[in-house]
Amino acid sequence: MADLAVLSLLWTLCSLPIITMGAASAALMRCALNMNTGEGNWRTRHFFRYFRRNLRNATPMWLLYLLAAALLTLDLLILSGAGGASARLQRMAAVLGLIILTFNAVWAFALTSQFENGVIRTIKNAFYLGVSWLPRTILMSALWLVPVALAVFNPYILSRIIVLWPALFFGGTAYFCAKLMVKPLTPYFEESGIYLSAPPEEDEEDFSE
């Protein structure tokens, strides 16, 4: 629980510039996956190492998602007061686009944190995994969207517990999502030589002769 709290705070701090939220999310998912695969590297120094390593790939991918989400949300706001069948279809299309975007994003930052691929290929792989493991994708998306759902449907409850998200819930959400990702990603972990049982800690001195 303490580790998850630290990861939540690190993610919140590194996401404050907004533009760095992609790299922070990739670092968070890498640490959460390490917890679930037994790799053991999820301390503060590892988070910042993964954060720096993912700035190049995760940042443009995050900006792409942010732009797409902003356009779809703007479309919804513009059409919110419009009537007619055409406006309803456009609203449905915008909502569907946001759902697909969320389904893709929950996989994409985990993938870019683990594998060296370009932005487009990572997005394609995320789409493939999202469709192939749809029930898990829906559950992961629902976990990440809890604050949004509370903001829309019950802002009073959100105002009472919102402090818990940067203090604990972001790390907890990432941890449970990573747990759901282990089975789908296991074949790729094995190909990449990633540990599925606890290895020796990185950066620790070896005192054996």
Side-chain angles (χ1 to χ4, degrees):
M1 293 291 287
D3 288 333
L4 294 178
V6 170
L7 288 177
S8 293
L9 291 171
L10 290 175
W11 181 86
T12 302
L13 290 173
C14 291
S15 297
L16 288 178
I18 304 299
I19 195 172
T20 59
M21 189 176 287
S25 299
L28 177 66
M29 289 309 303
R30 177 63 184 268
C31 290
L33 283 164
N34 287 355
M35 287 182 173
N36 282 279
T37 58
E39 195 167 341
N41 302 321
W42 60 79
R43 308 301 180 188
T44 301
R45 67 180 186 275
H46 299 122
F47 180 93
F48 284 113
R49 182 188 305 164
Y50 300 141
F51 176 78
R52 291 192 300 270
R53 188 180 300 169
N54 283 283
L55 278 171
R56 185 178 63 181
N57 287 332
T59 301
M61 187 167 65
W62 158 245
L63 293 176
L64 187 62
Y65 283 126
L66 186 62
L67 177 61
L71 291 174
L72 290 169
T73 303
L74 181 62
D75 193 29
L76 277 176
L77 292 174
I78 292 173
L79 295 169
S80 61
S86 176
R88 285 196 295 272
L89 285 174
Q90 290 182 62
R91 285 196 295 268
M92 290 173 60
V95 170
L96 181 60
L98 287 170
I99 291 172
I100 293 173
L101 198 65
T102 304
F103 284 2
N104 192 271
V106 295
W107 287 99
F109 292 106
L111 290 176
T112 198
S113 74
Q114 292 281 2
F115 308 107
E116 292 290 337
N117 287 315
V119 173
I120 300 302
R121 187 173 179 182
T122 298
I123 291 174
K124 287 181 179 179
N125 291 340
F127 180 81
Y128 169 76
L129 285 167
V131 172
S132 300
W133 299 86
L134 189 58
R136 293 174 188 243
T137 303
I138 293 172
L139 179 55
M140 290 188 293
S141 300
L143 289 172
W144 282 114
L145 290 175
V146 166
V148 178
L150 286 176
V152 173
F153 298 109
N154 202 325
Y156 175 78
I157 292 180
L158 181 65
S159 68
R160 293 293 182 178
I161 63 173
I162 193 169
V163 70
L164 294 177
W165 257 277
L168 180 62
F169 286 173
F170 288 130
T173 302
Y175 177 81
F176 285 112
C177 287
K179 187 175 288 292
L180 292 170
M181 290 179 178
V182 170
K183 183 177 180 179
L185 294 179
T186 293
Y188 308 103
F189 287 157
E190 292 172 348
E191 289 178 9
S192 302
I194 296 175
Y195 287 101
L196 296 179
S197 60
E201 284 274 355
E202 273 187 10
D203 302 332
E204 289 188 354
E205 293 185 52
D206 184 3
F207 294 102
S208 61
E209 296 190 10

